Amino acid sequence: MELGLYTFADVDPAAAAKGPEGARRLKNLLEEIELADQVGLDVFGLGEHHRPDYAASAPATILAAAAVKTKNIRLTSAVTVLSSEDPVRVFQQFATLDLLSNGRAEMMAGRGSFIESFPLFGYNLEDYDQLFEEKLDLLLALRDGETVTWQGEMRAPINGRGVYPRPLQDPLPLWIAVGGTPQSVARAGALGLPVALAIIGGEPHRFAPLFDLYREAARRAGQDQAKLKTSINVHGFIADTTAAAADQFYGPQAAVMNRIGRERGWGPTSRAHFDQSRGPSGALFVGDPEVVAEKIVAHHKIFNNDRFLLQMAIGLMPHDQIMRGIELYGTKVAPLIRKALTREAEAAKATA
């Protein structure tokens, strides 16, 4: 199982000097990606947003900067809001990232959890579903061949045009990000594309049937089951002690959830709810290395997932705490997980 991180590059939306605030966050973000690479994590993802509380409106640009500072870690969007993007530019940007990183780029396409990009780029929110379906179809065509002929209803056709540069990886990896909608999961399975499931609330085990649906949709479409991949993407934090992890993470994470909650009509969160969510069956992966590793392994038994991505840098987390969390993730948590999964695999072979 691949282990990694993702973030939206949170900034202070109330900062008066937004330029300096963004520059500070991106400088720290590059240091975080470098450290994740140095401690042996497998993946780093960056989400696209167009809001005052996030600095990553152009993930491919930031990941390109990270590409020249890292050696092994895979670099992906998490996610690219494909419905309001031009698939040609998305492909070109990530193909360029792939060349700069010597074949470590990935795209993660999704509908996005916010709607700001639609009016910003001149799209009608009522076309939400059709935009995603058509643009995903075009992105797949761009990925599959150098010369593209394509026609849809939401944009002008492409008639035998070459799209460059071509990536080092063939094909350039493309994941579909979903938030729990069965139709989205089934579509990814029918297309034979890897699927990443965001779980930020409730009890994660309740989402496990979605992966069963994904694999069944792939089987019915005649897709090669061996090529299917799954990821779970969650909130969490690692510190030297479980008490420290909870105390450090609660404030920034709660501030984010309450801010979004006010926009969407959710009730406010509380420390009691937070503490319940970081229990064995909750959606938060918060604790010392042993606690977090044990919870990740336990959920791997439920989901049989190929990838696990943790969002630690959420809200206004202090940079030094994030760096310590990344260090512990790579040097303590990851070895514990890999050892446990290796032991399980060897035990399964012995009883086969």
Side-chain angles (χ1 to χ4, degrees):
M1 180 171 61
E2 292 179 314
L3 300 169
L5 293 158
Y6 72 105
T7 184
F8 305 152
D10 301 62
V11 291
D12 183 358
K18 287 185 166 48
E21 172 71 359
R24 177 199 63 78
R25 183 66 191 101
L26 294 186
K27 174 181 179 294
N28 289 344
L29 175 59
L30 290 177
E31 292 178 0
E32 292 158 18
I33 301 174
E34 281 188 87
L35 180 59
D37 182 51
Q38 291 165 4
V39 298
L41 293 175
D42 301 300
V43 187
F44 199 102
L46 191 56
E48 174 196 343
H49 292 85
H50 302 271
R51 296 166 50 94
D53 39 354
Y54 302 118
S57 64
T61 304
I62 302 169
L63 294 173
V68 299
K69 291 176 170 285
T70 55
K71 296 180 180 179
N72 300 305
I73 198 165
R74 300 194 65 78
L75 302 167
T76 182
S77 55
V79 302
T80 294
V81 185
L82 189 59
S83 301
S84 56
E85 286 273 23
D86 181 343
V88 175
R89 291 301 284 159
V90 170
F91 180 82
Q92 291 174 327
Q93 289 162 2
F94 281 87
T96 302
L97 173 61
D98 200 51
L99 300 177
L100 287 169
S101 65
N102 196 31
R104 293 184 283 125
E106 297 184 3
M107 300 176 287
M108 188 185 297
R111 298 163 185 264
S113 57
F114 298 97
I115 63 172
E116 287 85 359
S117 63
F118 288 84
L120 183 63
F121 295 114
Y123 292 101
N124 190 335
L125 194 59
E126 293 179 359
D127 298 326
Y128 184 83
D129 291 319
Q130 187 176 359
L131 282 166
F132 184 80
E133 291 176 10
E134 282 202 6
K135 291 188 176 191
L136 178 59
D137 184 60
L138 175 53
L139 185 59
L140 289 170
L142 295 162
R143 192 178 75 137
D144 291 344
E146 177 179 333
T147 303
V148 177
T149 296
W150 179 91
Q151 184 169 351
E153 296 180 7
M154 308 303 292
R155 64 154 286 166
I158 301 176
N159 298 309
R161 307 297 299 181
V163 178
Y164 308 100
R166 304 309 298 178
L168 198 59
Q169 299 176 90
D170 185 17
L172 185 61
L174 170 62
W175 290 66
I176 300 299
V178 300
T181 305
Q183 293 89 336
S184 298
V185 174
R187 179 194 293 112
L191 293 171
L193 295 172
V195 66
L197 174 63
I199 305 174
I200 59 171
E203 296 181 341
H205 73 88
R206 296 181 182 273
F207 292 85
L210 290 173
F211 283 175
D212 296 332
L213 173 62
Y214 165 71
R215 297 183 179 101
E216 176 61 17
R219 185 192 66 78
R220 292 189 178 190
Q223 299 292 347
D224 184 354
Q225 295 279 326
K227 294 182 178 180
L228 302 180
K229 291 184 178 181
T230 58
S231 174
I232 58 173
N233 301 356
V234 304
H235 289 181
F237 191 69
I238 306 158
D240 291 282
T241 68
T242 294
D247 289 344
Q248 291 169 11
F249 192 60
Y250 170 67
Q253 197 260 0
V256 169
M257 300 307 290
N258 283 334
R259 182 168 65 244
I260 296 171
R262 286 191 294 272
E263 297 173 7
R264 300 183 179 181
W266 303 342
T269 189
S270 66
R271 181 60 190 255
H273 179 263
F274 173 86
D275 288 338
Q276 182 181 20
S277 296
R278 64 183 177 88
S281 62
L284 294 178
F285 288 67
V286 176
D288 64 31
E290 291 76 17
V291 166
V292 173
E294 182 179 343
K295 189 166 183 177
I296 293 172
V297 171
H299 282 77
H300 181 264
K301 292 178 181 178
I302 297 170
F303 289 97
N304 193 29
N305 48 307
D306 303 282
R307 178 177 285 184
F308 176 89
L309 297 186
L310 185 65
Q311 186 178 8
M312 288 202 298
I314 179 171
L316 302 183
M317 290 290 299
H319 179 54
D320 61 337
Q321 292 178 6
I322 296 171
M323 294 290 278
R324 180 57 178 164
I326 294 171
E327 180 184 1
L328 291 170
Y329 191 10
T331 62
K332 302 291 185 182
V333 177
L336 288 171
I337 294 169
R338 290 165 183 154
K339 182 178 180 180
L341 296 185
T342 299
R343 188 166 55 243
E344 289 180 5
E346 291 173 347
K349 286 181 181 178
T351 57

